[in-house]
């Protein structure tokens, strides 16, 4: 059963990646980027499924090691999806957005939280943040009914982005009052955040930001 607190967690797993794994991942990414028609001089790149199996293997093993620590604060979590990669150059940012919880999903386990780990930090900027708010403009997705046994009774839901919106700041969110919490985490430390949290990345001012992201999900046989 998913509780609202699990969709609002902020948590960290220190030493999620070892120094050797960080070095290995960066070498694999660098090799991949040399083979594809893209350079960091272009706009920010995000690959929802990073296509190098060895990268997926390294990150999946790290997630397996970290899951017990994550489950202390979100016991409904059982695993993670495949990993995507975000890389941003100077001026690139991820605008505030949220994913929400699909309360009517029937095609697989729901994602309850996200996990991100930086493997190359920008020299300045590129900071991850979460925005909290009590505004009804965000918390307008209704609440769980007694017959919805997947959720704690009375659990409240945020709105979810519509089809095709992707990662962008919606007009309704731009005018929503919020409190911002900026995260300072070393390279290799995993940051875990609930899917009902507004979040984003500040503009990169100097250098390059490279990070991997996955979704943390409920058990596949939960329903």
């Amino acid at each position: 059963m998913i509780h609202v607190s699990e969709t609002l967690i902020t948590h960290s797993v220190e030493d999620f990646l070892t120094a050797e794994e960080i070095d290995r991942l960066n070498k694999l990414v660098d090799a991949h980027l040399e083979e594809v028609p893209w350079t960091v001089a272009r706009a920010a790149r995000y690959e929802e499924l990073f296509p190098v199996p060895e990268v997926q293997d390294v990150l999946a093993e790290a997630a397996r090691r970290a899951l017990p620590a994550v489950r202390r604060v979100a016991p409904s979590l059982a695993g993670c999806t495949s990993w995507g990669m975000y890389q941003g150059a100077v001026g690139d940012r991820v605008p505030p957005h949220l994913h929400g919880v699909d309360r009517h999903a029937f095609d697989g386990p729901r994602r309850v939280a996200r996990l991100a780990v930086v493997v190359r930090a920008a020299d300045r900027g590129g900071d991850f943040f979460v925005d909290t708010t009590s505004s009804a403009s965000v918390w307008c997705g209704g609440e769980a009914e007694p017959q919805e046994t997947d959720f704690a009774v009375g659990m409240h839901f945020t709105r979810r982005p519509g089809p095709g919106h992707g990662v962008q700041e919606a007009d309704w969110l731009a005018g929503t009052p919020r409190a911002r919490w900026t995260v300072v985490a070393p390279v290799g430390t995993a940051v875990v955040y609930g899917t009902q949290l507004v979040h984003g990345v500040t503009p990169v001012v100097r250098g390059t930001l490279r990070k991997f992201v996955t979704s943390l999900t409920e058990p596949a046989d939960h329903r």
Side-chain angles (χ1 to χ4, degrees):
M1 179 179 292
I2 300 170
H3 191 277
V4 67
S5 63
E6 296 179 304
T7 69
L8 296 174
I9 58 171
T10 52
H11 192 47
S12 61
V13 181
E14 294 69 34
D15 299 319
F16 178 81
L17 293 172
T18 67
E20 291 76 16
E21 288 171 332
I22 293 168
D23 182 63
R24 184 180 176 191
L25 288 168
N26 278 312
K27 287 179 178 177
L28 288 167
V29 173
D30 289 340
H32 169 69
L33 294 182
E34 288 179 358
E35 298 175 357
V36 294
W38 178 88
T39 66
V40 74
R42 292 180 56 188
R45 176 192 183 109
Y46 177 67
E47 289 186 285
E48 187 171 358
L49 175 61
F50 195 74
V52 178
E54 191 174 351
V55 167
Q56 295 289 337
D57 291 343
V58 171
L59 293 167
E61 171 58 21
R64 185 196 64 78
R65 296 192 307 254
L67 188 59
V70 175
R71 283 176 54 85
R72 294 188 191 118
V73 296
S76 75
L77 296 178
C80 69
T81 61
S82 297
W83 292 76
M85 188 198 77
Y86 172 83
Q87 181 158 302
V90 173
D92 292 329
R93 62 188 279 265
V94 178
H97 64 286
L98 58 73
H99 303 288
V101 175
D102 186 357
R103 62 194 294 189
H104 304 300
F106 297 103
D107 58 350
R110 295 182 183 85
R111 61 182 181 183
V112 178
R114 299 273 277 171
L115 184 152
V117 58
V118 172
V119 295
R120 180 171 294 170
D123 297 325
R124 183 180 173 192
D127 299 314
F128 179 76
F129 63 83
V130 297
D131 289 346
T132 54
T133 182
S134 60
S135 173
S137 64
V138 174
W139 291 97
C140 59
E143 61 183 276
E145 303 290 342
Q147 65 269 23
E148 292 182 274
T149 56
D150 296 340
F151 306 102
V153 175
M155 170 175 167
H156 284 261
F157 298 90
T158 60
R159 69 166 71 201
R160 301 185 67 234
H165 281 76
V167 178
Q168 56 182 300
E169 185 172 14
D171 292 340
W172 60 266
L173 184 55
T176 299
R178 289 165 279 165
R180 177 154 297 180
W181 308 68
T182 302
V183 177
V184 179
V187 169
T189 291
V191 175
V192 181
Y193 52 98
T195 56
Q196 295 202 119
L197 280 174
V198 177
H199 60 281
V201 176
T202 64
V204 175
V205 177
R206 185 170 63 246
T208 301
L209 172 67
R210 178 182 291 170
K211 66 193 305 181
F212 287 96
V213 185
T214 187
S215 292
L216 301 175
T217 62
E218 64 182 351
D221 59 352
H222 187 68
R223 284 159 290 136

